[in-house]
């Protein structure tokens, strides 16, 4: 009986990668009109997944903007791991990233019941990530919003990593409004739902998990950063993504025709040593301790006087 149960669980896990979870989809869908969703996609350049992750408070705020000026850039990266050499990072086009992510996902679906730890295999492992950076200003407002978002387009394939970092840095002519920061880290985990079917068998399904914070773990002169623990990929994980935002104001007190820069930094740990770092004036990210892959996005805007 135990062998049969294990076999059925393996089949269920494999199929779950192919069949969307209707209950999870319903929980992620927002009660907004199609016209409002169109505004989020065309004006703010948010993806459907990003829209579904927005809080009700954020939706209300964005929809209140009368004349938003939106600067946005998205970048795609492939991280290649090999236990005999240091990880390598390559920047990809959107098409390349999506094609590689689809290929990796199909491989994961095929091998789901027999997943091998990355450090126990000589085969190269790959992660495909998207990094997005925004600067959003409503015309006439004294403050603008800087935000950063990362998303694993493929199933994460790291091993023995403990803590990652998402940060925003600004150019020297901008200051972050203290207390304006917000962060959320989300993923789905295939696990026991604490429910049983009518025969008394435990029910396994995709369960959404999240970590939220409204206070940055580090506030430096050039930016703010949040630290977060990665889930154990010995379990089934999918849709790993994170988002942070801060409000910014010009140090001159007026938006007067200067060029303003926002940098998004995603630090992906490559050892169990927690990363020591600083974000100096100007928005760069300097690692003082530990080993990590650093991905950086950048957006720039100049406002009329």
């Amino acid at each position: 009986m135990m062998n049969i149960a294990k076999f059925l669980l393996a089949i269920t896990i494999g199929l779950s990668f192919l069949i969307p979870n209707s209950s999870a989809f319903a929980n992620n869908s927002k009660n907004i009109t199609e016209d409002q969703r169109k505004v989020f996609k065309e004006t703010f350049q948010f993806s459907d997944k990003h829209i579904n992750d927005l809080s009700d408070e954020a939706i209300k705020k964005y929809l209140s903007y009368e004349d938003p000026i939106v600067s946005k850039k998205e970048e795609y990266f492939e991280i290649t791991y090999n236990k005999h050499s240091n990880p390598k990072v390559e920047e990809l086009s959107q098409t390349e990233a999506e094609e590689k992510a689809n290929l990796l996902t199909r491989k994961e679906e095929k091998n789901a019941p027999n997943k091998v730890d990355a450090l126990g295999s000589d085969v190269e492992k790959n992660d495909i990530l998207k990094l997005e950076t925004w600067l959003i200003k409503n015309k006439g407002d004294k403050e603008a919003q800087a935000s950063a978002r990362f998303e694993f387009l493929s199933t994460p394939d790291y091993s023995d990593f403990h803590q990652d970092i998402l940060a925003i840095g600004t150019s020297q002519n901008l200051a972050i409004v203290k207390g304006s920061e917000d962060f959320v880290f989300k993923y789905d985990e295939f696990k026991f739902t604490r429910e049983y079917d009518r025969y008394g068998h435990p029910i396994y399904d995709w369960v959404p998990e999240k970590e939220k914070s409204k206070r940055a773990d580090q506030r430096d002169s050039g930016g703010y950063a949040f630290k977060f623990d990665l889930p154990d990929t010995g379990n089934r994980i999918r849709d790993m993504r994170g988002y942070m935002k801060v409000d910014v104001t010009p140090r001159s007190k007026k938006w007067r025709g200067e060029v303003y820069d926002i940098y998004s930094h995603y630090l992906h740990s490559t050892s169990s040593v927690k990363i020591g770092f600083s974000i100096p004036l100007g928005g760069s990210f300097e690692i003082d301790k530990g080993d990590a892959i650093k991905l950086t996005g950048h957006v720039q805007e100049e406002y009329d006087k």
Side-chain angles (χ1 to χ4, degrees), residues 242-287:
Y243 171 82
M244 73 170 285
K245 71 91 177 173
V246 295
D247 293 335
V248 296
T249 58
R251 292 187 184 272
S252 64
K253 307 302 180 184
K254 292 183 179 179
W255 301 98
R256 54 181 187 183
E258 295 182 60
V259 175
Y260 302 98
D261 297 277
I262 298 297
Y263 301 93
S264 59
H265 302 291
Y266 178 54
L267 277 290
H268 192 44
S269 303
T270 57
S271 76
S272 59
V273 178
K274 292 187 177 180
I275 304 166
F277 64 93
S278 62
I279 311 173
L281 200 63
S284 63
F285 195 103
E286 298 181 1
I287 300 175

Short mmCIF file of all heavy atoms in Angstrom, two decimals, residues 242-287:
data_model
loop_
_atom_site.label_atom_id
_atom_site.label_comp_id
_atom_site.label_asym_id
_atom_site.label_seq_id
_atom_site.Cartn_x
_atom_site.Cartn_y
_atom_site.Cartn_z
N GLY A 242 9.45 38.58 -5.87
CA GLY A 242 9.50 39.54 -4.79
C GLY A 242 9.37 40.96 -5.33
O GLY A 242 9.70 41.24 -6.49
N TYR A 243 8.86 41.85 -4.46
CA TYR A 243 8.59 43.22 -4.90
C TYR A 243 8.84 44.17 -3.73
O TYR A 243 8.53 43.86 -2.58
CB TYR A 243 7.13 43.33 -5.35
CG TYR A 243 6.65 44.75 -5.62
CD1 TYR A 243 6.92 45.37 -6.83
CD2 TYR A 243 5.92 45.45 -4.65
CE1 TYR A 243 6.47 46.66 -7.07
CE2 TYR A 243 5.49 46.75 -4.89
CZ TYR A 243 5.77 47.35 -6.11
OH TYR A 243 5.34 48.62 -6.35
N MET A 244 9.43 45.33 -4.03
CA MET A 244 9.59 46.37 -3.02
C MET A 244 9.36 47.73 -3.65
O MET A 244 9.51 47.90 -4.86
CB MET A 244 10.96 46.32 -2.36
CG MET A 244 12.11 46.80 -3.21
SD MET A 244 13.68 46.98 -2.27
CE MET A 244 13.35 48.50 -1.35
N LYS A 245 8.98 48.70 -2.80
CA LYS A 245 8.80 50.06 -3.29
C LYS A 245 9.20 51.03 -2.19
O LYS A 245 9.16 50.73 -0.99
CB LYS A 245 7.36 50.30 -3.75
CG LYS A 245 6.31 50.37 -2.65
CD LYS A 245 6.09 51.80 -2.16
CE LYS A 245 5.01 51.92 -1.11
NZ LYS A 245 4.94 53.29 -0.54
N VAL A 246 9.61 52.22 -2.61
CA VAL A 246 9.88 53.34 -1.71
C VAL A 246 9.38 54.60 -2.39
O VAL A 246 9.25 54.65 -3.62
CB VAL A 246 11.39 53.50 -1.38
CG1 VAL A 246 11.91 52.30 -0.61
CG2 VAL A 246 12.21 53.72 -2.66
N ASP A 247 9.09 55.62 -1.60
CA ASP A 247 8.78 56.94 -2.16
C ASP A 247 10.05 57.77 -2.14
O ASP A 247 10.87 57.67 -1.21
CB ASP A 247 7.69 57.63 -1.34
CG ASP A 247 6.34 56.93 -1.47
OD1 ASP A 247 6.13 56.23 -2.49
OD2 ASP A 247 5.51 57.05 -0.56
N VAL A 248 10.22 58.58 -3.18
CA VAL A 248 11.43 59.42 -3.28
C VAL A 248 11.03 60.87 -3.54
O VAL A 248 9.98 61.16 -4.13
CB VAL A 248 12.36 58.93 -4.41
CG1 VAL A 248 12.90 57.54 -4.09
CG2 VAL A 248 11.66 58.91 -5.76
N THR A 249 11.90 61.78 -3.10
CA THR A 249 11.72 63.22 -3.34
C THR A 249 13.05 63.80 -3.80
O THR A 249 14.12 63.29 -3.46
CB THR A 249 11.27 63.96 -2.07
OG1 THR A 249 12.26 63.76 -1.04
CG2 THR A 249 9.93 63.46 -1.58
N PRO A 250 13.01 64.89 -4.57
CA PRO A 250 14.27 65.53 -4.98
C PRO A 250 14.91 66.25 -3.79
O PRO A 250 14.21 66.87 -2.99
CB PRO A 250 13.81 66.52 -6.06
CG PRO A 250 12.38 66.79 -5.75
CD PRO A 250 11.82 65.54 -5.14
N ARG A 251 16.23 66.12 -3.66
CA ARG A 251 16.92 66.79 -2.57
C ARG A 251 16.83 68.31 -2.69
O ARG A 251 16.93 69.03 -1.69
CB ARG A 251 18.39 66.35 -2.53
CG ARG A 251 18.55 64.89 -2.14
CD ARG A 251 20.01 64.52 -1.94
NE ARG A 251 20.17 63.09 -1.66
CZ ARG A 251 20.10 62.55 -0.45
NH1 ARG A 251 19.90 63.32 0.61
NH2 ARG A 251 20.25 61.24 -0.28
N SER A 252 16.61 68.79 -3.90
CA SER A 252 16.46 70.24 -4.12
C SER A 252 15.08 70.74 -3.73
O SER A 252 14.81 71.94 -3.83
CB SER A 252 16.71 70.57 -5.59
OG SER A 252 15.73 69.94 -6.41
N LYS A 253 14.20 69.80 -3.30
CA LYS A 253 12.81 70.09 -2.89
C LYS A 253 11.87 70.33 -4.07
O LYS A 253 10.66 70.43 -3.88
CB LYS A 253 12.74 71.29 -1.93
CG LYS A 253 13.65 71.19 -0.72
CD LYS A 253 13.37 69.96 0.11
CE LYS A 253 14.28 69.88 1.33
NZ LYS A 253 14.09 68.63 2.09
N LYS A 254 12.41 70.45 -5.28
CA LYS A 254 11.56 70.67 -6.45
C LYS A 254 12.04 69.79 -7.60
O LYS A 254 13.24 69.60 -7.80
CB LYS A 254 11.59 72.13 -6.88
CG LYS A 254 10.95 73.09 -5.90
CD LYS A 254 10.95 74.52 -6.45
CE LYS A 254 10.29 75.49 -5.48
NZ LYS A 254 10.30 76.88 -6.00
N TRP A 255 11.05 69.24 -8.35
CA TRP A 255 11.38 68.51 -9.57
C TRP A 255 11.63 69.55 -10.66
O TRP A 255 10.71 70.13 -11.20
CB TRP A 255 10.21 67.61 -9.98
CG TRP A 255 9.82 66.59 -8.95
CD1 TRP A 255 8.81 66.69 -8.06
CD2 TRP A 255 10.44 65.32 -8.72
NE1 TRP A 255 8.74 65.56 -7.27
CE2 TRP A 255 9.73 64.70 -7.66
CE3 TRP A 255 11.51 64.64 -9.30
CZ2 TRP A 255 10.07 63.43 -7.18
CZ3 TRP A 255 11.85 63.38 -8.81
CH2 TRP A 255 11.14 62.79 -7.77
N ARG A 256 12.92 69.79 -10.98
CA ARG A 256 13.20 70.93 -11.85
C ARG A 256 14.14 70.59 -13.00
O ARG A 256 15.19 71.20 -13.18
CB ARG A 256 13.78 72.07 -11.03
CG ARG A 256 15.00 71.71 -10.18
CD ARG A 256 15.47 72.91 -9.39
NE ARG A 256 16.73 72.65 -8.70
CZ ARG A 256 17.32 73.52 -7.89
NH1 ARG A 256 16.73 74.67 -7.66
NH2 ARG A 256 18.46 73.23 -7.32
N GLY A 257 13.78 69.63 -13.77
CA GLY A 257 14.50 69.37 -15.00
C GLY A 257 15.79 68.59 -14.86
O GLY A 257 16.54 68.46 -15.83
N GLU A 258 16.08 68.04 -13.69
CA GLU A 258 17.28 67.22 -13.53
C GLU A 258 17.02 65.80 -14.02
O GLU A 258 15.87 65.39 -14.20
CB GLU A 258 17.70 67.17 -12.06
CG GLU A 258 18.13 68.51 -11.49
CD GLU A 258 18.58 68.37 -10.03
OE1 GLU A 258 19.54 67.60 -9.79
OE2 GLU A 258 17.96 69.00 -9.16
N VAL A 259 18.10 65.05 -14.21
CA VAL A 259 17.99 63.64 -14.56
C VAL A 259 18.02 62.82 -13.28
O VAL A 259 18.90 63.00 -12.44
CB VAL A 259 19.15 63.21 -15.48
CG1 VAL A 259 19.10 61.70 -15.73
CG2 VAL A 259 19.10 63.96 -16.80
N TYR A 260 17.04 61.92 -13.12
CA TYR A 260 16.92 61.12 -11.90
C TYR A 260 17.09 59.65 -12.25
O TYR A 260 16.56 59.17 -13.25
CB TYR A 260 15.55 61.35 -11.25
CG TYR A 260 15.30 62.81 -10.91
CD1 TYR A 260 14.56 63.63 -11.76
CD2 TYR A 260 15.82 63.36 -9.74
CE1 TYR A 260 14.34 64.96 -11.45
CE2 TYR A 260 15.60 64.70 -9.42
CZ TYR A 260 14.87 65.49 -10.28
OH TYR A 260 14.67 66.82 -9.98
N ASP A 261 17.84 58.93 -11.40
CA ASP A 261 18.15 57.52 -11.64
C ASP A 261 17.66 56.65 -10.49
O ASP A 261 17.80 57.01 -9.31
CB ASP A 261 19.65 57.32 -11.77
CG ASP A 261 20.24 58.06 -12.96
OD1 ASP A 261 20.17 57.51 -14.08
OD2 ASP A 261 20.76 59.18 -12.78
N ILE A 262 17.10 55.50 -10.87
CA ILE A 262 16.70 54.47 -9.91
C ILE A 262 17.39 53.16 -10.30
O ILE A 262 17.38 52.77 -11.46
CB ILE A 262 15.17 54.25 -9.89
CG1 ILE A 262 14.46 55.53 -9.47
CG2 ILE A 262 14.80 53.10 -8.96
CD1 ILE A 262 14.77 56.00 -8.05
N TYR A 263 17.99 52.51 -9.30
CA TYR A 263 18.67 51.23 -9.52
C TYR A 263 17.97 50.14 -8.68
O TYR A 263 17.72 50.34 -7.49
CB TYR A 263 20.13 51.32 -9.10
CG TYR A 263 20.92 52.38 -9.83
CD1 TYR A 263 21.03 53.67 -9.29
CD2 TYR A 263 21.52 52.12 -11.05
CE1 TYR A 263 21.74 54.66 -9.96
CE2 TYR A 263 22.23 53.11 -11.73
CZ TYR A 263 22.33 54.37 -11.18
OH TYR A 263 23.03 55.36 -11.85
N SER A 264 17.68 49.02 -9.32
CA SER A 264 17.18 47.86 -8.58
C SER A 264 18.32 46.86 -8.48
O SER A 264 19.04 46.62 -9.46
CB SER A 264 15.98 47.24 -9.29
OG SER A 264 16.33 46.83 -10.60
N HIS A 265 18.51 46.29 -7.30
CA HIS A 265 19.57 45.31 -7.07
C HIS A 265 18.97 44.04 -6.49
O HIS A 265 18.29 44.09 -5.46
CB HIS A 265 20.60 45.86 -6.08
CG HIS A 265 21.25 47.14 -6.50
ND1 HIS A 265 22.14 47.24 -7.55
CD2 HIS A 265 21.14 48.40 -6.00
CE1 HIS A 265 22.55 48.48 -7.68
NE2 HIS A 265 21.96 49.22 -6.76
N TYR A 266 19.23 42.92 -7.16
CA TYR A 266 18.84 41.63 -6.60
C TYR A 266 20.11 40.83 -6.33
O TYR A 266 20.91 40.58 -7.24
CB TYR A 266 17.92 40.86 -7.55
CG TYR A 266 17.54 39.49 -7.02
CD1 TYR A 266 16.99 39.35 -5.75
CD2 TYR A 266 17.76 38.34 -7.77
CE1 TYR A 266 16.64 38.11 -5.24
CE2 TYR A 266 17.42 37.09 -7.27
CZ TYR A 266 16.87 36.98 -6.01
OH TYR A 266 16.54 35.75 -5.51
N LEU A 267 20.30 40.44 -5.08
CA LEU A 267 21.47 39.68 -4.66
C LEU A 267 21.05 38.24 -4.39
O LEU A 267 20.25 37.99 -3.48
CB LEU A 267 22.10 40.29 -3.40
CG LEU A 267 23.06 41.47 -3.58
CD1 LEU A 267 24.36 41.00 -4.22
CD2 LEU A 267 22.43 42.60 -4.34
N HIS A 268 21.60 37.31 -5.16
CA HIS A 268 21.28 35.89 -5.04
C HIS A 268 22.46 35.19 -4.39
O HIS A 268 23.54 35.09 -4.97
CB HIS A 268 20.99 35.32 -6.42
CG HIS A 268 20.37 33.97 -6.42
ND1 HIS A 268 19.34 33.62 -5.57
CD2 HIS A 268 20.62 32.87 -7.18
CE1 HIS A 268 18.99 32.37 -5.81
NE2 HIS A 268 19.75 31.89 -6.77
N SER A 269 22.27 34.70 -3.16
CA SER A 269 23.37 34.11 -2.39
C SER A 269 23.95 32.88 -3.06
O SER A 269 23.24 32.09 -3.66
CB SER A 269 22.88 33.72 -0.99
OG SER A 269 22.34 34.82 -0.32
N THR A 270 25.26 32.73 -2.92
CA THR A 270 25.92 31.52 -3.42
C THR A 270 26.69 30.80 -2.32
O THR A 270 27.51 29.94 -2.60
CB THR A 270 26.87 31.85 -4.59
OG1 THR A 270 27.82 32.83 -4.14
CG2 THR A 270 26.10 32.39 -5.78
N SER A 271 26.45 31.17 -1.08
CA SER A 271 27.05 30.48 0.06
C SER A 271 26.14 30.66 1.26
O SER A 271 25.18 31.44 1.23
CB SER A 271 28.45 31.02 0.36
OG SER A 271 28.37 32.28 1.01
N SER A 272 26.45 29.94 2.35
CA SER A 272 25.63 30.04 3.55
C SER A 272 26.00 31.27 4.39
O SER A 272 25.34 31.55 5.39
CB SER A 272 25.79 28.77 4.39
OG SER A 272 27.15 28.58 4.75
N VAL A 273 27.05 31.99 4.00
CA VAL A 273 27.46 33.20 4.73
C VAL A 273 26.52 34.34 4.37
O VAL A 273 26.34 34.65 3.20
CB VAL A 273 28.91 33.59 4.38
CG1 VAL A 273 29.30 34.88 5.11
CG2 VAL A 273 29.86 32.47 4.74
N LYS A 274 25.92 34.95 5.38
CA LYS A 274 25.00 36.05 5.12
C LYS A 274 25.76 37.25 4.57
O LYS A 274 26.87 37.55 5.00
CB LYS A 274 24.24 36.42 6.39
CG LYS A 274 23.27 35.34 6.83
CD LYS A 274 22.40 35.77 7.99
CE LYS A 274 21.39 34.68 8.33
NZ LYS A 274 20.53 35.07 9.47
N ILE A 275 25.15 37.92 3.62
CA ILE A 275 25.82 38.98 2.89
C ILE A 275 25.92 40.26 3.73
O ILE A 275 24.92 40.71 4.29
CB ILE A 275 25.07 39.28 1.58
CG1 ILE A 275 24.93 38.00 0.75
CG2 ILE A 275 25.78 40.36 0.77
CD1 ILE A 275 23.93 38.12 -0.38
N GLY A 276 27.13 40.82 3.80
CA GLY A 276 27.31 42.14 4.38
C GLY A 276 27.45 43.14 3.24
O GLY A 276 28.15 42.87 2.26
N PHE A 277 26.81 44.28 3.33
CA PHE A 277 26.79 45.19 2.18
C PHE A 277 26.51 46.63 2.61
O PHE A 277 26.13 46.90 3.76
CB PHE A 277 25.71 44.75 1.19
CG PHE A 277 24.31 44.82 1.74
CD1 PHE A 277 23.53 45.96 1.56
CD2 PHE A 277 23.77 43.76 2.45
CE1 PHE A 277 22.25 46.03 2.08
CE2 PHE A 277 22.50 43.83 2.98
CZ PHE A 277 21.73 44.96 2.79
N SER A 278 26.65 47.53 1.65
CA SER A 278 26.28 48.93 1.86
C SER A 278 25.77 49.49 0.54
O SER A 278 26.10 48.98 -0.54
CB SER A 278 27.48 49.75 2.35
OG SER A 278 28.52 49.74 1.39
N ILE A 279 24.92 50.53 0.64
CA ILE A 279 24.41 51.23 -0.54
C ILE A 279 24.81 52.70 -0.38
O ILE A 279 24.08 53.49 0.23
CB ILE A 279 22.88 51.09 -0.69
CG1 ILE A 279 22.47 49.62 -0.55
CG2 ILE A 279 22.40 51.65 -2.03
CD1 ILE A 279 20.97 49.41 -0.51
N PRO A 280 25.97 53.09 -0.89
CA PRO A 280 26.45 54.46 -0.70
C PRO A 280 25.66 55.47 -1.53
O PRO A 280 24.87 55.09 -2.41
CB PRO A 280 27.90 54.38 -1.15
CG PRO A 280 27.93 53.25 -2.12
CD PRO A 280 26.91 52.26 -1.64
N LEU A 281 25.87 56.73 -1.24
CA LEU A 281 25.23 57.80 -1.99
C LEU A 281 25.50 57.61 -3.48
O LEU A 281 26.64 57.40 -3.89
CB LEU A 281 25.78 59.15 -1.51
CG LEU A 281 24.93 60.39 -1.81
CD1 LEU A 281 23.58 60.31 -1.10
CD2 LEU A 281 25.69 61.65 -1.37
N GLY A 282 24.48 57.64 -4.27
CA GLY A 282 24.60 57.40 -5.70
C GLY A 282 23.91 56.12 -6.14
O GLY A 282 23.64 55.93 -7.32
N GLY A 283 23.60 55.21 -5.17
CA GLY A 283 22.74 54.08 -5.47
C GLY A 283 23.41 52.79 -5.85
O GLY A 283 22.73 51.81 -6.17
N SER A 284 24.76 52.71 -5.82
CA SER A 284 25.42 51.44 -6.15
C SER A 284 25.29 50.47 -4.97
O SER A 284 24.88 50.85 -3.89
CB SER A 284 26.90 51.69 -6.48
OG SER A 284 27.58 52.22 -5.35
N PHE A 285 25.67 49.22 -5.21
CA PHE A 285 25.56 48.19 -4.17
C PHE A 285 26.93 47.56 -3.98
O PHE A 285 27.50 47.01 -4.93
CB PHE A 285 24.53 47.14 -4.58
CG PHE A 285 24.09 46.24 -3.46
CD1 PHE A 285 22.86 46.42 -2.85
CD2 PHE A 285 24.90 45.21 -3.01
CE1 PHE A 285 22.44 45.60 -1.82
CE2 PHE A 285 24.50 44.38 -1.98
CZ PHE A 285 23.27 44.58 -1.38
N GLU A 286 27.47 47.65 -2.77
CA GLU A 286 28.81 47.14 -2.50
C GLU A 286 28.74 46.00 -1.49
O GLU A 286 28.20 46.17 -0.39
CB GLU A 286 29.71 48.27 -1.98
CG GLU A 286 29.88 49.41 -2.99
CD GLU A 286 30.79 50.52 -2.49
OE1 GLU A 286 31.30 50.39 -1.35
OE2 GLU A 286 30.97 51.50 -3.23
N ILE A 287 29.29 44.83 -1.87
CA ILE A 287 29.29 43.65 -1.00
C ILE A 287 30.55 43.66 -0.14
O ILE A 287 31.67 43.74 -0.65
CB ILE A 287 29.24 42.36 -1.84
CG1 ILE A 287 27.95 42.33 -2.68
CG2 ILE A 287 29.30 41.13 -0.93
CD1 ILE A 287 27.86 41.16 -3.63
#
